[in-house]
Amino acid sequence: MPLMMDDEMNMDDLFGDGGGLSLPSRPPTKELHQRLDELRASGCCQSIAWSKWGSIASIASNGSALELRNLRCHPDDGMWALSEPTVTPNFSSSLDGGPLKHISWSPTGTDLAVIDAAGRVTILSVFSSINKPSLSRPCQVDPADDLHGVVGSFWLNQAPYPPGRPTILHGPGVKEGPIYRYEASQAPILGPCHPVHSKSAFVCVTTNGLLRVLWQQNNNKWHESHTELESIVSSDDLITHAAICPDKNGSLLIAFATSSMQLRTVRAVIDWGQPKVEKAQPAALPLNPNVRTKHLAGTSWVPDILSDPMNASHSESSMVQLSHLEFLPPSADSHGNPIPATIVAIRSSLPSLTSHYNQDVYSTMYSTIDRWEVQEPHQRVHPAFEQLSSRRNSTGVNPQPIVFLKKLESITVNKIFVAMEPMNHGKVIVFAYSDSSVEYRDRINMMETFNDGNLERVWHLSQIGFSYTEDEPCLQVALSPSYCSTVQIRNDGKIKWKKLDYHLGDIGNSMDEPLYSAVITALSLSCATSVMRNVNYDDLLATASKHASPQFTYDLLTELSRILKVNLDYSEETHHDVLVRNTTIQLCLCIQNSLGFKGQFNPRTFSGKFAWLVLQLRNIVVLVTMAANLNVPGGPNANDKTSPLEDPEVINSLAGSVRWVLDLMAWIVDTLTTLPASLPPNIDLSSTSTLSLPNLLAHLHSTNTISLHLLLSSPSRGFLTAILRRLQHLDYIARKAITHTHSSSTPNPQNTPTSLSPALKAAYVQIATLTTNSILKIKTIEALLSSLTSLIKTAYASHTPPLSGSQQAEKARNALEIKMHFGSSFPDAFKSVIVELFREDGGLLSAVKADIEPAKLFFADFESLEVDEEVGMVERRKAKGITMDCFRKAWLLNPVKGQGVGENGVGVGDGTEGQVAPMGRQGARWRRCARCAAVMEDVLTQRQALQWLVMQQRRCFCSGYWDTLAPGQLVA
């Protein structure tokens, strides 16, 4: 019997029309129909939200619990993925308000509003860990009434600090010859804002027309002010959807849709009621807000397409059911022309479930976007009336502007809309659809943008070929704060993260290649804008990590430093306060560290290893400085202050850092003293005329030797000098406290403890012992760094042309320092410095070696630095089952999965090859940094000084956020 698929059979004739077979797209699912019904019933039913800190909150599928996730870098291999969900306990013993329906993060990133079906609002707060919320406002204070259901919500913008500071948008990058020129724009932060710049307030509209404002008093307690938007006299007046946005005059614009298909707008003004007190901080004054409203304009959002509303088809009836209502705040176009506040109403249509097999129904699967601009033309008085008023010696008054809604052209898309969000100062709108696709549209004309492939004028990764995989349909979408990732709720209720990826092959490996340079530019612009908006950019690091060769990392950091105008030249800086406060240095180090991390037991890249050590060094400088210079509340009287250095727990916590710094200094010297013997014959350190800096750099990279860069780069050398001075101060206080106790009446300028308890004395003895028995004396290293700094100043000044003494020279010097800091070449001017450093007869290192006992250095154990990359040593450390506490610089025994916390407060580990004394505190859980995978104990203590010091670690030393790990777990 012949096969049906023989070659001679003409498949075109099989269906008799000679045409090819057109397969319909995937039919809409039952879950999508249910989701659309939810959207039509209420304007507040978003079950997933992504905070500016990077915490992803979602409502469990049964509506009874809240789950928190975030992006995290896995400690074993450096790969990025979503963390496991942290499920919060029920907010109340009885679900009086029904299931949870809506969640919304505040612009501060710390507060999360959780709303149930009855409109009761719970506010959770996160502080030190983004997966560890605490209850800030319980929902029991709200009535459980269906008419109080929330249909629209909005968090007030965070007040700018300092006042008047605008938001900065970096971009586009315009190609000019071989490089990009970076443009930037700014926009004001629209009020109203909470008077305290670190706080926000939650505004919502209820079904029965109530406008609620939830705000925090200066004692952090939540209060409510409310007013009536609309007088509800029948079910037709009930509000189904509402949207809120700020206006240019510091008021709120509110749009709401009613059951009778009316669209109305209201202006609301919040008077915070603060007393007028001269020279008083806003945070110290009590609030007594009052909310006033004024109706502006109204229209109907019903399209005029229905021939007979009583006998409408399924398609027509679905199009008079509103699914989304958004209010875009006023903005400006690329030329600075104002764009009025705009109402966006979206109506989506799906074929009925009974018609899935009818191919014609796919034409009914679409969304229509309707828009209205809020126009406020100022009315002019006719000149005749002005003359009439002047004759009567009266003052003419211009009438108030009459607000009206200007209908714009509607847009229809053959997809089901599930989310939208403005970006780029409101100039671009991001639309997400149920088929997992994402579109970027110009706000004014609603045309698609970021899809032209233009490599000459770069804004965003989507513009140059990066895209999201469209593999499965979804029900809800939330965008990352950087607008370069999404999280989705799938049909099965699971959460999936998607990042922008390049699926069209290789991007290249040189800035001379157009696509490669455009990718570097787009990533740099997105990262710079995220930094200026103070939002999390971990998803950008995840995207970059896929391409993170050493050259890619260097190019990315170089372009980012150009955009942010980073200063890395501290070669002539004598005071290190400016260096420590330079947050752009921490930013660059953070990216270096992240892109160079390949797993905790795998070698880091050269640049990553350098950044990892400098970040820890910087953190120790900050900790010791704060402990030595600041006072915290304490003592028998309310106004008493104590120094953290009077608490033995603080001193014990700092002891590990002291040990770590001293070991680092010894390791740097050990590495440099053995470097000449390991050099190949083509590298000669004895003469400036024969020294080849490119060959030296290549050797340092091949052996992953970063010590020379640590000494020659001015920021890292500055951190080394700063910590040595602070350790010398701490050593002085320790010895003075041990040998002498002040009377209470004696002045205490050095913060030396006035009395010594046995515990405090033991803690200071530990510090003094560490400094006394160190391989290298602090004064010896200080002398080395001081001499090196002088040599570098001379080398810069004597170079031709000189690299000091003028603004142009300082700019050139900064460019050279940037190269060194990012792990690249040394300046030619440094040849004399390097030769003098390694000179055998009287060189800088030879003077240091004269003060060292060779046996001590030879047998030194640098395991706590975690810099040894020899396979055997790494395997031995791995077998011990230990992890370094980055705060106390002490080893912790790893918990065994399923066993939780041991009797001594740490995880029960096997400790097979090492006798590591348990260093954990009783019952302490672990925090792990989501960005760099560093670990510290989640310290909860009643000791105010120690708790204050721990609070300074509310973010990791790399500026990443913490995850609190479940007992017995090593990874979030």
Side-chain angles (χ1 to χ4, degrees), residues 587-632:
L587 165 69
C588 294
L589 290 170
C590 163
I591 296 174
Q592 281 179 263
N593 177 53
S594 177
L595 298 184
F597 178 69
K598 309 301 179 184
Q600 58 186 340
F601 297 112
N602 298 320
R604 298 172 185 264
T605 64
F606 183 92
S607 176
K609 185 177 180 180
F610 172 88
W612 179 60
L613 288 177
V614 177
L615 279 170
Q616 295 178 82
L617 196 60
R618 177 186 181 277
N619 188 57
I620 294 173
V621 171
V622 172
L623 282 178
V624 177
T625 301
M626 287 186 170
N629 296 337
L630 298 181
N631 292 320
V632 297

Side-chain angles (χ1 to χ4, degrees), residues 111 191 438 501 739 839 843 909:
D111 296 319
V438 174
D501 276 326
T739 58
R839 186 161 55 87

Side-chain angles (χ1 to χ4, degrees), residues 445-473:
N445 56 29
M446 279 293 161
M447 299 295 291
E448 279 197 67
T449 184
F450 295 166
N451 62 346
D452 55 4
N454 186 0
L455 304 183
E456 302 296 317
R457 186 179 178 86
V458 176
W459 268 107
H460 194 262
L461 287 170
S462 296
Q463 181 186 356
I464 53 178
F466 280 69
S467 61
Y468 300 104
T469 54
E470 299 177 20
D471 49 359
E472 293 182 25

